[in-house]
Amino acid sequence: MKKSLILSPQQFTLLTLLFTCVITNTLNAQQLPPKVEQWSILHCGTLLAIPGVVPQEKVSIIVKDGRIVELRKGYVKLSSLKTEKDAKVTIIDLKRSFVLPGLIDCHTHITFEMSRQSRLNRVTETDADAAIKSVVYAKRTLDAGFTTIRNVGSGGDAAFALRDAINSGLVPGPRILVAGEAITATGGHGDGTLGFRDDLFDIPGAMQGVADGPDECRKAVRSQVKRGADVIKLTATGGVLSQTAAGTDQQFFDDELKAIMDTAHLLGRKVAAHAHGTDGINAALRAGVDSIEHGSFLDDESIRLFNQTGAFLVPTLLAGKTVVELAKIKGFFPPAIVAKANAVGPVIKDAFARAYKGGVNIAFGTDSGVSKHGQNAEEFLIMVDAGMSEMDAIVCATINAAELCGLANEIGTIEAGKAADIIALANDPLENISSLKNVWFVMRNGVIHKQP
Ligand SMILES: [Zn+2]
């Protein structure tokens, strides 16, 4: 009997898949050059490998294919490395530099930068405008020595696209953890339609982060995770920059807060809560939040809850300073925002100082986007001015921030096995913290982005 050559649909699909695989593999083999080992030896004059521990003099960092291999005393020579024959080795002279781990900012809005036009931009700019601007802001942030950021709230898909483009090496920028849209109550601080005419926007829902009641809160969290969120942000209280005179107190009920925490944690995401008012801070802490952003009106009970749960405070002192300065400019903000800026701005630094004295875990965050991107290091100056030691401020922006980001095994210190995120400065920041404003060398994942 003659065998039929007609294939079943399943056989046809299998054959097509097989054929595609063969073709793709052949093409890849033709297009990709053979992989060459990439080595770097960084000769460091002074090295703060582990913030919190005394820096060492004259140390070499050895990096291979983007990861730190080892640290060695003295200035290691090329000949002492065991590399493959055709390996590419770069020797980087940082003998007159102070070298430390790449900095981490746990609170940015990378697709946005505040201006007089911000309110108008909401109805004139598209997601594409935001995406293109974010490429510029990301480069500025990286050049300032921030090799990782946590982007806690931005509309649309721009921040996700930026994160993925940076990860694939298409554009330079920091590693980004993206939150997507902040989860907010209807008319709450994160409701992007607040203060606009009703017919300008569709009624926002789960994808825009707007949710009322535990079920909608679960759906809003799941929607952000569905679109690719690495972390969940929520607005537990009112905020300064929303177009409303609704104050800065609690906006979610306890059962809504719990639904957000439980859903995010179930899906393996940490939760960052924007919170100014005391009631909202404490309710979010009781619900099991991982970090409180701002914390302006925290009290003794908040400090007790922070210490009990181990949650982090992300102070954003630079945002407090920036809004107070801008509120002085006539017409920059509408009156409702001026009132809130003047209520929150002056107390945020004192709240930070009390939390620091109270032993609260603190992770560095600026709210950049409210201030200009690339000026993130200004936050260090305010932290030190409020009574924090220079070393502790650096710990907040490295070890503590890495822990809050869930990346403690990857970044935050210069140790064997971690990503080669390394920066260098001309002067010692432990003597003068403002030297962190002049970062002259930036390496991320072993790739040099800036050098003297
Ligand atoms: Zn913010």
Side-chain angles (χ1 to χ4, degrees), residues 117-269:
Q117 298 292 314
S118 295
R119 213 174 160 198
L120 179 63
N121 290 350
R122 283 277 303 138
V123 289
T124 55
E125 288 197 341
T126 65
D127 219 15
D129 292 310
I132 289 173
K133 286 182 178 180
S134 75
V135 172
V136 177
Y137 302 150
K139 173 83 167 69
R140 269 199 237 148
T141 304
L142 182 63
D143 283 347
F146 288 80
T147 49
T148 302
I149 60 171
R150 201 171 64 144
N151 199 63
V152 283
S154 52
D157 295 317
F160 295 106
L162 176 70
R163 173 195 65 189
D164 297 345
I166 291 169
N167 284 347
S168 69
L170 191 64
V171 294
R175 175 186 295 97
I176 309 182
L177 298 184
V178 180
E181 302 260 13
I183 315 298
T184 184
T186 293
H189 174 57
D191 182 342
T193 66
L194 200 59
F196 291 98
R197 228 170 52 206
D198 287 344
D199 59 331
L200 282 173
F201 302 100
D202 293 334
I203 294 171
M207 279 308 252
Q208 290 73 38
V210 177
D212 303 286
D215 285 348
E216 285 188 18
C217 286
R218 288 190 191 100
K219 184 165 187 178
V221 172
R222 287 177 171 138
S223 300
Q224 301 315 310
V225 173
K226 177 185 172 184
R227 77 200 308 196
D230 306 297
V231 57
I232 293 299
K233 161 87 178 288
L234 72 101
T235 59
T237 72
V240 174
L241 295 176
S242 37
Q243 314 283 341
T244 173
T248 56
D249 288 333
Q250 186 168 352
Q251 293 188 332
F252 270 125
F253 290 108
D254 291 351
D255 60 347
E256 295 173 315
L257 288 172
K258 189 170 181 319
I260 295 169
M261 307 305 167
D262 288 352
T263 312
H265 290 157
L266 179 76
L267 301 177
R269 266 61 174 185

Side-chain angles (χ1 to χ4, degrees), residues 11-26:
Q11 283 171 322
F12 181 76
T13 313
L14 207 70
L15 205 71
T16 317
L17 265 175
L18 201 72
F19 184 69
T20 317
C21 280
V22 171
I23 292 287
T24 318
N25 284 337
T26 315

Side-chain angles (χ1 to χ4, degrees), residues 65-95:
D65 296 334
R67 302 202 84 83
I68 298 159
V69 176
E70 62 169 309
L71 307 188
R72 275 196 224 164
K73 265 273 166 222
Y75 296 138
V76 168
K77 289 196 180 113
L78 206 158
S79 55
S80 70
L81 292 188
K82 284 184 189 133
T83 66
E84 269 177 8
K85 226 164 119 199
D86 56 352
K88 185 172 175 286
V89 186
T90 311
I91 293 186
I92 301 157
D93 183 354
L94 298 172
K95 289 177 190 152

Side-chain angles (χ1 to χ4, degrees), residues 107 109 233 294 367:
H107 192 127
H109 302 280
K233 161 87 178 288
H294 318 304
D367 218 348

